[in-house]
Amino acid sequence: VEQQGTTKVDNVDPVAKAKPAAKAAIDAALKAQEQAIDAKPDSTKEEKEAAKEEARAKAETAKEAIDAATSNADVTAANS
């Protein structure tokens, strides 16, 4: 009986929801931003690529902040 109880306790594993959802939202926002950048007819190819690189860097920084978050509130703040 003791072993059964220990096994049940050992099988408890938190399901990660907040961080993956926040990262997915960042990826979706980045994709939309890249499409918006590409749709700018007055920007040159180089200007568009520079803007997309900046957007990617900001997305990566946000994802790093999410990875470092220790609470759901921290995840929400990092995703803002």
Side-chain angles (χ1 to χ4, degrees):
V1 174
E2 182 180 331
Q3 186 178 5
Q4 288 176 341
T6 305
T7 301
K8 288 180 181 180
V9 171
D10 289 343
N11 287 336
V12 175
D13 190 23
V15 177
K17 295 179 184 176
K19 288 183 180 185
K23 288 181 180 182
I26 289 170
D27 287 338
L30 176 59
K31 184 176 180 178
Q33 185 61 33
E34 287 179 332
Q35 289 173 344
I37 290 167
D38 282 335
K40 301 264 184 193
D42 293 334
S43 297
T44 65
K45 179 181 175 182
E46 293 81 6
E47 291 168 337
K48 289 178 183 181
E49 193 54 42
K52 288 193 278 187
E53 283 299 320
E54 182 179 348
R56 289 182 196 122
K58 289 181 179 183
E60 189 58 36
T61 299
K63 286 181 180 182
E64 289 170 2
I66 289 168
D67 284 338
T70 58
S71 70
N72 287 348
D74 291 344
V75 171
T76 300
N79 197 23
S80 298

